Amino acid sequence: MSGTFSAGGLITGLDTNTLIAQLIELERQPIVRLQQRIASLETQRDAIGDVRTQLQTLRNRAEDFRLNTVFGQFRAVSSQESVLTAALTGANPASGIYTVEVLQLASATIARSSGALGAAINPDVPLSGSGIQTAITAGSFTINGTSFTVDPDTQCLNDILALINGSGAGVLATYDAVEDKVTLENDTAGDTSIINLGATGDTSNFLTAIQLDGAYQSTGANGATVATSARNLGAVTTSAALGAVAFRNGAVTAGSFRINGVQINVDPAADTLDSVIAAINASDAHVTASYDRATDTLRVVSDALGSRTIAFESGTSNFLDVANLTTAVQTAGSDAQFTVDGGAVQTRNTNAVADVIAGVTLNLRSAGTSTIAVETDTDAIVEGVRGFITALNEALTEIRGQTARDATLQGDSSISMISSQLQYLMFSNVEGVDGTFDNLLEIGISTGSAFDSETGARFELDEEAFLDALRENPENIERLFSNSGRTGIADVLSNYLEDAASATGFLNQRIRSGGSVDSQIQAYNDRIERLEYIIARHEERYRAQFARLEQMAAQYQSQGSSLLGLGGGLSF
């Protein structure tokens, strides 16, 4: 130790450090035993925590009965789910059989731009500056095997059409400025042969740009095959700033407009058609807007079903006029129509009808007739009872495992008592149940015919017996588990487990921070601290004693040497 001389056996030849270490090790044995007791207590605390967790799970399953989430389960089944589906959406649904005939589904109002948004192209200026939406590449294209060359910087659309008409391709090419589309027609009346558009060696996208590649071909007025551009050539680019788009109805002005009374702001320099559509959809106008690429128009659908039209109001911006929505063609939606049990026709502005059968929502899907059965959900009830029994068996298994011979909680009477009490409660007769089914054995819940002394009793459910009892007297079965007098199996079990496993229960009082286990551990740690102090003092004393021994040995050695020196001068 500091300040204490130690010769380490230099004089005596003793290994004093080893001797002291052995003495200290002997004195530390009580500390080792206390540390083992602390480790055992910590293990017990964990084991009690595991038991408590299982008991809390069991209490939750018992509470399901008290909260009427087991026997209070129903189901609604539709005989024709293609006509309608039924879902439980409220408490206490009205049990029974209902016949529902769907006459008409509710639909939403749809508004479409009254015309294309993009301005028609100029067929008399070079294609590169004509306003055509898809840029045309220079090169060649083929019609009926005849190849044509196009230079978008020098040739206009009418130049190309004239080349086609003057060739031997056998078609007449025209441009309709009103529709902003190109039409090809076999130049021989009654010629219904297919017009072959494009070839493998084509290097220009001209046919694609004028929307003829893949266009539908039909028979025209003169009986010849006709192919027309799939969309207008000057269709708008939705990602371009509104101020840079050539709209058919002129430039969009800054300001605002309203849909269903909700204001939408527009800035042509910053907004695109895509961003305006997004703003509409994100607003409280309760509509969904989209751009129809095939027709170059806007489509606005009411979020609400029924016959109400969509209100479009131009404000300080002319956006709705430019988008042809102030003159939109609106297809009004319809109300749902149906009858129940042959009664009067009822109408709703939704296909989700929640006010006809109490606690049930009917989701109408198509015209037709379906039978709805609203009944007790016996499958869910059986599942709930099975869940309760499973939780009970798992709790009992946990307790038996923890209290078995040589197990962590062996001999812990408070834990063993819980197992006994659980089994006692399960086999008790319930007061307040008049007539049959006042105990679990009568409804098919027992420990079965096989008993294993090693694992103990396990509860089982005879599903057939349980369902028979449930059909015979469902009220008593429910009271057996939980009733207004709180005498049911689940009632009593839940109350007992509240006392045992809740935050204020006796198990948690043992294992909580500062609980009885912690108090024992703290007491042992206090004893260890005192013993450590005593042992440290002993070690100091041992070292001091051995140091004095070394000093004395040194003195004796010195005296012996002196005597030998004196003796050497004597002669006999």
Side-chain angles (χ1 to χ4, degrees):
M1 301 296 293
S2 177
T4 301
F5 170 78
S6 175
L10 180 62
I11 308 301
T12 62
L14 298 175
D15 186 352
T16 56
N17 286 329
T18 299
L19 290 172
I20 292 172
Q22 291 173 344
L23 289 170
I24 295 302
E25 183 178 356
L26 288 173
E27 292 196 22
R28 289 187 59 84
Q29 290 308 301
I31 293 178
V32 172
R33 289 192 290 272
L34 290 174
Q35 290 172 334
Q36 290 172 341
R37 291 177 188 175
I38 290 174
S40 177
L41 284 171
E42 291 174 340
T43 303
Q44 289 177 32
R45 179 170 56 194
D46 292 341
I48 294 172
D50 291 340
V51 170
R52 178 172 176 258
T53 297
Q54 292 293 347
L55 294 178
Q56 287 176 318
T57 300
L58 175 57
R59 183 173 185 269
N60 290 339
R61 299 292 74 78
E63 281 292 292
D64 291 341
F65 292 95
R66 301 181 72 175
L67 297 173
N68 201 32
T69 59
V70 176
F71 290 102
Q73 298 186 86
F74 292 81
R75 61 187 171 193
V77 181
S78 170
S79 64
Q80 296 294 329
E81 292 196 343
S82 60
V83 174
L84 63 88
T85 60
L88 298 175
T89 52
N92 303 315
S95 299
I97 306 296
Y98 306 87
T99 300
V100 179
E101 182 180 6
V102 180
L103 304 174
Q104 176 179 283
L105 294 180
S107 60
T109 294
I110 301 174
R112 296 179 181 273
S113 300
S114 57
L117 274 61
I121 69 169
N122 187 340
D124 295 318
V125 301
L127 289 166
S128 58
S130 67
I132 192 168
Q133 185 192 51
T134 304
I136 295 175
T137 56
S140 62
F141 65 93
T142 305
I143 298 176
N144 286 336
T146 300
S147 180
F148 303 91
T149 300
V150 57
D151 180 356
D153 293 328
T154 61
Q155 293 174 298
C156 64
L157 178 63
N158 282 335
D159 290 338
I160 303 301
L161 299 184
L163 289 174
I164 295 171
N165 294 334
S167 70
V171 294
L172 175 65
T174 58
Y175 169 70
D176 185 336
V178 175
E179 294 293 328
D180 190 28
K181 295 179 179 180
V182 172
T183 296
L184 297 181
E185 183 177 14
N186 285 335
D187 57 11
T188 301
D191 182 1
T192 58
S193 58
I194 295 295
I195 301 173
N196 295 309
L197 300 170
T200 303
D202 288 354
T203 56
S204 173
N205 66 341
F206 177 79
L207 294 175
T208 300
I210 65 171
Q211 302 296 316
L212 277 175
D213 187 16
Y216 177 71
Q217 298 190 21
S218 61
T219 301
N222 69 346
T225 297
V226 175
T228 302
S229 300
R231 63 182 301 200
N232 53 309
L233 305 187
V236 300
T237 300
T238 60
S239 59
L242 294 174
V245 176
F247 287 101
R248 183 165 298 201
N249 293 337
V252 173
T253 58
S256 64
F257 61 91
R258 292 180 179 273
I259 298 180
N260 287 338
V262 177
Q263 179 174 303
I264 310 295
N265 299 317
V266 178
D267 180 358
D271 285 323
T272 65
L273 189 58
D274 286 335
S275 69
V276 174
I277 290 172
I280 293 172
N281 294 340
S283 73
D284 293 327
H286 300 297
V287 296
T288 300
S290 60
Y291 173 70
D292 187 337
R293 188 176 183 279
T295 59
D296 189 31
T297 58
L298 289 181
R299 181 175 183 267
V300 183
V301 182
S302 176
D303 293 343
L305 303 182
S307 56
R308 175 186 174 186
T309 57
I310 301 169
F312 296 103
E313 303 173 59
S314 292
T316 55
S317 171
N318 65 348
F319 176 83
L320 293 177
D321 300 311
V322 172
N324 292 316
L325 285 177
T326 49
T327 56
V329 177
Q330 297 204 37
T331 303
S334 304
D335 289 333
Q337 297 182 358
F338 59 92
T339 64
V340 179
D341 293 335
V345 174
Q346 302 186 51
T347 61
R348 299 289 188 279
N349 63 350
T350 176
N351 290 318
V353 182
D355 58 351
V356 172
I357 302 174
V360 177
T361 295
L362 304 178
N363 297 296
L364 311 184
R365 303 178 70 177
S366 67
T369 302
S370 180
T371 299
I372 308 301
V374 182
E375 58 193 10
T376 299
D377 191 346
T378 55
D379 291 341
I381 292 174
V382 169
E383 189 63 28
V385 173
R386 284 197 181 280
F388 170 69
I389 293 174
T390 297
L392 174 63
N393 285 331
E394 288 176 350
L396 292 173
T397 299
E398 182 70 25
I399 292 172
R400 289 168 188 148
Q402 296 287 7
T403 58
R405 179 178 298 177
D406 297 328
T408 302
L409 300 177
Q410 178 186 359
D412 192 321
S413 59
S414 64
I415 302 296
S416 299
M417 177 191 67
I418 296 174
S419 177
S420 300
Q421 187 65 16
L422 292 179
Q423 294 179 80
Y424 168 76
L425 293 176
M426 291 295 291
F427 286 117
S428 299
N429 289 345
V430 173
E431 297 179 2
V433 178
D434 297 327
T436 58
F437 310 134
D438 65 349
N439 64 72
L440 296 180
L441 290 173
E442 292 184 351
I443 65 169
I445 298 177
S446 68
T447 54
S449 57
F451 177 77
D452 188 339
S453 60
E454 293 294 327
T455 60
R458 287 184 62 84
F459 287 87
E460 299 176 358
L461 173 66
D462 183 336
E463 186 174 324
E464 185 176 346
F466 176 78
L467 289 175
D468 287 342
L470 186 63
R471 284 188 287 267
E472 181 179 339
N473 196 334
E475 292 80 10
N476 267 15
I477 302 300
E478 186 171 348
R479 294 189 192 103
L480 172 62
F481 283 90
S482 182
N483 54 60
S484 58
R486 295 306 188 205
T487 62
I489 296 293
D491 296 323
V492 177
L493 192 63
S494 181
N495 289 337
Y496 173 72
L497 293 174
E498 170 74 13
D499 293 336
S502 70
T504 58
F506 62 81
L507 290 181
N508 199 46
Q509 293 303 311
R510 294 177 63 181
I511 63 174
R512 66 178 176 82
S513 178
S516 60
V517 173
D518 270 7
S519 296
Q520 288 178 274
I521 291 174
Q522 185 59 51
Y524 286 144
N525 280 325
D526 291 343
R527 291 178 62 185
I528 289 172
E529 185 176 353
R530 290 194 297 271
L531 288 172
E532 291 281 10
Y533 177 80
I534 292 170
I535 292 171
R537 302 287 78 77
H538 286 179
E539 184 177 358
E540 290 179 358
R541 188 176 71 249
Y542 292 149
R543 292 192 180 279
Q545 289 173 342
F546 276 106
R548 287 196 297 271
L549 177 61
E550 291 292 327
Q551 289 173 347
M552 291 174 64
Q555 291 174 358
Y556 292 148
Q557 188 179 52
S558 177
Q559 292 173 0
S561 296
S562 297
L563 290 173
L564 288 174
L566 290 174
L570 297 176
S571 60
F572 298 94

